[in-house]
Amino acid sequence: MLRFAAALTLSLSLAACATIMPSEEPVAVTGSIAYRERIALPPTAQVEIRLDDVSLADAPSKTIAQQSFTADGRQVPFAFRLTVDQRRLDPRHSYAVSARISDASGRLMFITDTRNSVAFDGRPAIDMGMLTLVKAN
């Protein structure tokens, strides 16, 4: 009876590992960012796109993936691609993409003002489409 219980416990724990272990393949979160104003960015503008764990309402978000670059004279729209290790994701948590553009001194110029939620559902790539930024005051 003891051997049967041990074998059952072992097989159940192995089955549980097979169902809750995330894939080791990375997930690509892609899209582009733009704003509506007809304002050219300075060549030194800094662009930042982040994927954050936003699960806790009363605590700072935790950055999971980030892409940053200088505009170098280019203008919106800017395409982005964030690669996420699925082992860093918790299916019980909430995730969102945010973006911001600042000048060379760090002064905020444009930012996303809505929550852009990401649903990780086993797909290898998630396209967020166009994220719209608003002008900062």
Side-chain angles (χ1 to χ4, degrees):
M1 184 69 155
L2 184 59
R3 275 190 246 163
F4 175 74
L8 180 62
T9 302
L10 179 62
S11 65
L12 287 176
S13 63
L14 289 175
C17 288
T19 59
I20 61 172
M21 297 256 322
S23 168
E24 291 188 17
E25 292 297 317
V27 177
V29 178
T30 61
S32 58
I33 63 168
Y35 52 84
R36 292 193 173 118
E37 289 79 3
R38 295 180 58 103
I39 301 171
L41 292 174
T44 57
Q46 300 294 312
V47 180
E48 178 184 37
I49 301 101
R50 297 183 349 185
L51 172 70
D52 294 322
D53 182 339
V54 293
S55 301
L56 301 175
D58 59 347
S61 60
K62 179 181 174 188
T63 300
I64 304 298
Q66 177 179 339
Q67 180 181 359
S68 299
F69 55 91
T70 303
D72 290 329
R74 295 173 291 154
Q75 301 298 318
V76 295
F78 293 116
F80 67 87
R81 179 184 180 88
L82 303 170
T83 303
V84 182
D85 182 351
Q86 289 192 52
R87 294 173 291 193
R88 294 190 64 196
L89 302 174
D90 186 329
R92 300 167 297 177
H93 288 200
S94 300
Y95 300 92
V97 172
S98 63
R100 63 188 300 136
I101 300 174
S102 56
D103 65 14
S105 67
R107 185 180 60 84
L108 183 63
M109 298 173 68
F110 296 93
I111 191 165
T112 49
D113 68 342
T114 57
R115 182 172 169 156
N116 300 290
S117 297
V118 182
F120 291 102
D121 54 8
R123 293 178 287 165
I126 299 169
D127 183 11
M128 299 295 295
M130 178 73 71
L131 305 183
T132 302
L133 286 73
V134 297
K135 189 174 187 313
N137 292 331

